[in-house]
Amino acid sequence: MDRIDLFATFARVVECASFTRAAATLGQPRSSVSAAIRLLEDRLGTRLLHRTTRHVAPTQDGLAFYERCLRLIAEVEEAEALFRNTVDGPAGKLRVDVPGRIGRLIIAPALPDFLARYPDIAIELGVTDRAVNLVEDSVDCVLRVGPLSDSSLIARNLGELRLINVASPAYLDRRGVPERPEDLSRHEAVHYASPSTGAVEDWQWLEGGRVHGLAMPGRVTVNSAEAYIACCLAGLGLIQIPAYDVATEIAGGTLVEVMPEHRAEPMPIALLYPHRQHLSRRLRVFIDWLEPLLRERLLL
């Protein structure tokens, strides 16, 4: 194993906080990863990692060396790229993870265009509403909606998703049409529980530059966007949802927007990937293709 490989192995262990997970993402035995770190520490003459039975974390020297490793790895990759055959197009497999509805309604139908442009790239598309760990799950890029908490990741902000309030005509015929927040006490909502935390958000709206919330009554709670929309279509209550998600239903009259003057705060949407310096050619072209698609189709 050459020095750059040692540096890359060390960086992966730091990012995974685990020898076992790092070995799995690198496709190597755990013993090989452990041996590589011992060899690197012997060469440098310093301890790079704090090790426990459950967790691995960089020492102060290890953290400083990790930052230097990232720069060195990026410089080597850029130097190699200067001498690669530029006639060859990007190639290889990309693992991408996106929210379920966005994957099904927007990305999957558009993929033939991307694959036709780049015939040597294969896509492994994860479609789920749960948050994934890019490093541990060996994912190249994820699309996330909502506030971000992964400070170690590079985020490319795409904009904001407009949220609207909708209900089925049958529900509105039965319960009346709410026109202002005061009317919500006489209505029910379909509750959406976060797939990651299980938390159910209050009904929200913006007024006077402030976000207001209300715990709405409701007898149905779901944890997927598909079920959320299906329950609304069945007349089980009001929902708050991104406009793109129900554009077809609104156009067809199976769902109706209510209280347009009292919408929830828009939700940020961003593309996330581990390190700007480590973007492969295939990931760069995918992001360049995906970004305008999402801006056109999502930010209605």
Side-chain angles (χ1 to χ4, degrees):
M1 184 178 290
D2 64 26
R3 291 189 182 185
I4 290 298
D5 288 336
L6 285 176
F7 296 168
T9 299
F10 168 69
R12 185 58 57 89
V13 172
V14 172
E15 291 161 353
C16 291
S18 163
F19 285 99
T20 301
R21 289 195 293 269
T25 64
L26 292 168
Q28 299 178 12
R30 185 187 186 282
S31 58
S32 297
V33 173
S34 297
I37 299 304
R38 286 196 301 270
L39 175 59
L40 187 58
E41 289 180 326
D42 288 343
R43 283 187 174 181
L44 296 174
T46 187
R47 190 174 184 84
L48 297 173
L49 297 170
H50 293 298
R51 301 162 173 84
T52 68
T53 55
R54 294 187 177 183
H55 188 68
V56 176
T59 63
Q60 186 173 353
D61 286 343
L63 188 58
F65 186 66
Y66 169 71
E67 298 296 331
R68 181 64 61 87
C69 278
L70 296 182
R71 293 196 295 271
L72 290 172
I73 293 168
E75 289 172 2
V76 169
E77 291 178 349
E78 290 174 5
E80 290 177 343
L82 293 175
F83 301 99
R84 292 188 185 120
N85 187 349
T86 57
V87 176
D88 295 337
K93 178 182 287 187
L94 273 177
R95 296 192 66 198
V96 180
D97 195 89
V98 300
R101 294 277 292 180
I102 294 176
R104 185 175 70 81
L105 296 178
I106 295 175
I107 297 177
L111 271 181
D113 170 65
F114 177 80
L115 297 176
R117 294 189 199 182
Y118 305 102
D120 295 322
I121 295 180
I123 298 288
E124 187 173 321
L125 184 64
V127 179
T128 176
D129 289 332
R130 76 172 178 86
V132 301
N133 184 298
L134 274 77
V135 175
E136 293 181 13
D137 295 329
S138 298
V139 176
D140 296 292
C141 174
V142 300
L143 183 69
R144 288 189 181 164
V145 177
L148 301 177
S149 59
D150 300 283
S151 59
S152 64
L153 300 176
I154 303 299
R156 181 179 295 195
N157 294 317
L158 301 180
E160 295 181 326
L161 293 182
R162 178 166 58 91
L163 296 176
I164 61 175
N165 313 307
V166 300
S168 70
Y171 173 87
L172 297 175
D173 287 344
R174 187 172 71 252
R175 303 294 294 268
V177 179
E179 296 181 355
R180 57 189 66 85
E182 292 79 9
D183 298 337
L184 293 174
S185 60
R186 301 189 297 273
H187 288 267
E188 290 188 352
V190 178
H191 296 310
Y192 182 84
S194 166
S196 301
T197 67
V200 175
E201 296 288 339
D202 287 346
W203 187 275
Q204 296 184 351
W205 67 94
L206 278 172
E207 187 173 358
R210 294 176 49 236
V211 177
H212 300 262
L214 175 70
M216 288 274 291
R219 293 184 292 165
V220 178
T221 301
V222 300
N223 65 355
S224 77
E226 296 285 353
Y228 196 45
I229 296 169
C231 288
C232 187
L233 287 167
L236 297 177
L238 303 165
I239 65 172
Q240 294 186 307
I241 195 160
Y244 85 89
D245 243 332
V246 290
T248 300
E249 288 79 5
I250 294 290
T254 54
L255 289 178
V256 178
E257 181 179 5
V258 298
M259 296 195 303
E261 302 302 319
H262 296 89
R263 293 173 175 162
E265 188 175 22
M267 298 177 67
I269 181 168
L271 280 169
L272 279 73
Y273 40 90
H275 296 290
R276 192 186 313 276
Q277 299 96 327
H278 294 167
L279 286 187
S280 63
R281 291 178 65 197
R282 59 184 176 274
L283 182 53
R284 288 183 188 277
V285 297
F286 180 76
I287 291 175
D288 289 343
W289 171 83
L290 183 62
E291 184 171 356
L293 173 70
L294 296 178
R295 289 187 185 277
E296 176 185 353
R297 299 289 305 279
L298 285 182
L299 310 181
L300 301 176

